[in-house]
Amino acid sequence: MVSSPTRYLVFFQYFGTKYSGVMETSNDQSVVGVQNYLQKAAENLKPTVPIKFCISSRTDTGVHALCNAAHIDIQRAPGKPAFNEKQLIYSLNYHLRAEPIRILNVYRVANSFHARFSALSRTYVYRVLMGCSHHSQVPVFEKDLCWAPTGGHLNVPAMRDAAQFLLGTHDFSTFRSLNSETPFQSPIRTMLQADIRPSAGLLSHHYEHRGLEFWELKFRSRSFLYRQVRRMVGALVAVGQGKLTPYHIKELLEIKDSRAFPPNAMAPPSGLFLKSVEY
């Protein structure tokens, strides 16, 4: 008699710089996805069927996650009990110890639960560093963890005014990059939060005299389009630099055409973090 699989919700984090993104890739590539390492670690659980991580939220090359989520089904040999949550956390983290990937929490869930489709919302944070006139002024401890736009300081009140246009339900076609899924995906999204707040840098109290300022742009929605957050951040920073006015954000939304997005305005991946997936 074959035992039925047990489903778990797994929360995990990673430093995304060295990966091709979170999703699984062919193992013969020089740079692979976070999912490759998660599934390799799970092989050590000796399941009777290979474990597949069904990931909630896709992230690109160089993007980080303070907390992403996935569900997995584990089928054990007949007579062996289901793993408890702590066993899974300790075992997976042991086999991931060489990678900047960590399992944060594991919960046993119903077999009807789906990490992607059961999510109520997702929250992203983008870290911007102001006060740098040259990239060499970015603290070494912040390398790959923020974006320091050229030109030093930004007009934050103007950026906040612009961010208000993003709130609510809109066609975000202008704010998405095109990929293979574009023809099958509705561009309509509801932005629940679009905030810009001061933040702390790693060890920043040791170099306060340098006049560097960290800011976080936070966005929450049930789901996002491909590279939507990076495009929104890039447009808001362009407002802060005086290249666009706040009203331009409203106009870009109304155009509903990805080709209308200002060239070279998309924010780099290094400052982007998936903060949380809410259920």
Side-chain angles (χ1 to χ4, degrees):
M1 181 179 172
V2 178
S3 58
S4 59
T6 305
R7 182 162 292 189
Y8 300 89
L9 168 61
V10 181
F11 289 106
F12 59 101
Q13 65 181 193
Y14 47 91
F15 189 108
T17 303
K18 65 174 284 189
Y19 305 111
S20 66
V22 71
M23 303 304 289
E24 183 179 21
T25 59
S26 168
N27 276 310
D28 56 11
Q29 291 183 198
S30 57
V31 179
V32 298
V34 172
Q35 186 177 1
N36 293 58
Y37 292 94
L38 290 169
Q39 290 177 179
K40 190 169 186 223
E43 288 173 10
N44 295 282
L45 299 171
K46 303 292 190 285
T48 58
V49 176
I51 294 171
K52 175 95 170 169
F53 278 71
C54 185
I55 292 174
S56 161
S57 305
R58 296 188 176 192
T59 58
D60 286 343
T61 303
V63 176
H64 318 290
L66 296 169
C67 185
N68 203 338
H71 75 254
I72 56 175
D73 292 328
I74 303 180
Q75 189 159 328
R76 304 197 72 191
K80 290 202 169 183
F83 288 109
N84 70 46
E85 290 91 336
K86 283 189 177 178
Q87 283 177 310
L88 289 178
I89 294 170
Y90 293 142
S91 176
L92 291 172
N93 277 336
Y94 178 80
H95 295 289
L96 287 164
R97 65 192 183 281
E99 297 297 320
I101 305 170
R102 289 295 174 270
I103 306 300
L104 301 172
N105 249 318
V106 174
Y107 299 95
R108 192 166 171 171
V109 291
N111 285 353
S112 58
F113 177 90
H114 196 287
R116 184 177 174 190
F117 301 119
S118 299
L120 300 176
S121 65
R122 295 161 173 87
T123 302
Y124 282 88
V125 168
Y126 196 100
R127 300 180 71 239
V128 171
L129 173 58
M130 299 184 198
C132 292
S133 56
H134 189 267
H135 66 81
S136 63
Q137 294 177 317
V138 177
V140 69
F141 304 105
E142 291 286 355
K143 185 180 179 295
D144 299 324
L145 294 172
C146 64
W147 176 29
T150 54
H153 288 277
L154 303 171
N155 183 342
V156 174
M159 292 169 67
R160 284 174 166 156
D161 288 344
Q164 295 306 299
F165 290 116
L166 298 170
L167 289 170
T169 302
H170 306 283
D171 182 323
F172 280 95
S173 291
T174 307
F175 290 91
R176 72 170 165 187
S177 294
L178 304 181
N179 66 1
S180 58
E181 293 185 6
T182 302
F184 312 103
Q185 225 176 24
S186 167
I188 308 297
R189 293 291 185 272
T190 300
M191 196 62 52
L192 303 169
Q193 183 177 12
D195 291 341
I196 303 172
R197 298 176 184 174
S199 177
L202 183 64
L203 302 172
S204 58
H205 56 287
H206 289 292
Y207 47 82
E208 285 172 340
H209 63 282
R210 291 177 55 188
L212 302 181
E213 293 180 13
F214 286 89
W215 291 78
E216 285 186 1
L217 289 78
K218 183 188 282 189
F219 303 93
R220 184 166 60 91
S221 175
R222 182 168 185 193
S223 60
F224 292 85
L225 299 167
Y226 181 50
R227 292 182 175 168
Q228 180 185 346
V229 176
R230 287 171 59 192
R231 282 187 165 223
M232 292 190 300
V233 170
L236 293 176
V237 165
V239 170
Q241 293 170 324
K243 295 176 182 176
L244 299 176
T245 67
Y247 195 75
H248 274 127
I249 301 301
K250 184 174 188 291
E251 292 178 336
L252 287 171
L253 280 169
E254 290 171 347
I255 291 170
K256 303 174 186 174
D257 186 346
S258 63
R259 294 169 296 184
F261 189 76
N264 305 313
M266 184 167 67
S270 54
L272 183 57
F273 295 76
L274 172 61
K275 182 179 184 290
S276 57
V277 184
E278 293 85 31
Y279 293 99

